[in-house]
Amino acid sequence: MFPAIFLDRDGVLIENRPDYVREWAQVSVLPGALRALSDARLNGYKVVIVTNQSAVGRGIISLEAAWEINDRLVRLIRAEGGRVDGAYLCPHGPDDGCACRKPKPGLLLQAARELSLDLKRSWMIGDAWSDVQAGQAAGVRGTILLKTGRGAEQLALPKPPGMAGYFVCDDVSQAIEFILRQDGR
């Protein structure tokens, strides 16, 4: 079984848009994200994107369009020498009551089953309290809230009740470096 680094997409790897990323032309990769995912010390980890895409459930974009954006992002990361072993998305709206929409851990649990992941040795990186909550609900080793995307706004809000410890990093590059140091790499 492998440790994983779970990454939210919008606000972590690409710029978050208040009107949703609706097509590839709107994708803007955050500075340092591609370089961070190409660090050779990531060998031994599975890198997994887990993203809520409520624009699908809200009827703003199609499920096919959401997958196309994810697939192109994965191809771009790999073309730049980066690592991504899987990408999972929740297409449901906030009121659909699904098991996969973060803060629920469904996407992480699905990835763990399909990719033979050891959640107790894994990490979750996100820009929202819901990302941190999903990681903690899945039982990962550590969770990191980034200041990119919605992260700075989230940090100004009250912490959700029952929140366990978490770490804060400026961006995904700093978060991956932090994880590698914690794991002695």
Side-chain angles (χ1 to χ4, degrees):
M1 298 199 36
F2 301 92
I5 297 175
F6 293 101
L7 301 157
D8 180 42
R9 189 189 81 181
D10 300 9
V12 173
L13 299 174
I14 65 174
E15 285 190 23
N16 201 16
R17 295 177 57 101
D19 59 342
Y20 304 102
V21 176
R22 301 170 186 225
E23 59 186 41
W24 181 250
Q26 295 175 321
V27 170
S28 178
V29 177
L30 289 169
L34 296 175
R35 186 177 64 254
L37 294 178
S38 64
D39 191 313
R41 295 173 295 165
L42 289 175
N43 288 337
Y45 291 93
K46 297 284 185 178
V47 176
V48 182
I49 298 169
V50 288
T51 179
N52 288 348
Q53 292 300 313
S54 70
V56 175
R58 296 170 196 264
I60 296 170
I61 65 170
S62 68
L63 182 58
E64 294 77 20
W67 276 116
E68 166 73 14
I69 293 165
N70 271 8
D71 290 343
R72 287 184 75 171
L73 179 60
V74 169
R75 287 194 310 267
L76 173 64
I77 292 166
R78 289 177 178 162
E80 294 292 321
R83 171 173 196 118
V84 176
D85 297 287
Y88 295 80
L89 72 79
C90 169
H92 304 105
D95 300 323
D96 289 345
C98 67
C100 54
R101 183 174 172 79
K102 296 176 285 177
K104 292 183 181 169
L107 294 177
L108 287 78
L109 298 176
Q110 179 185 357
R113 284 190 306 272
E114 294 177 1
L115 301 174
S116 297
L117 305 178
D118 182 351
L119 291 170
K120 289 184 169 96
R121 294 171 43 217
S122 298
W123 295 82
M124 175 69 208
I125 302 171
D127 71 323
W129 288 128
S130 59
D131 298 317
V132 173
Q133 290 173 298
Q136 291 180 359
V140 300
R141 174 179 177 196
T143 54
I144 300 173
L145 182 66
L146 301 185
K147 294 180 183 176
T148 54
R150 297 176 296 157
E153 294 169 11
Q154 296 282 292
L155 285 166
L157 297 173
K159 247 183 353 181
M163 176 81 63
Y166 59 93
F167 301 95
V168 176
C169 291
D170 290 335
D171 57 27
V172 72
S173 297
Q174 188 182 64
I176 287 179
E177 187 61 39
F178 174 81
I179 290 168
L180 293 170
R181 277 196 320 272
Q182 292 296 308
D183 289 348
R185 293 181 180 229

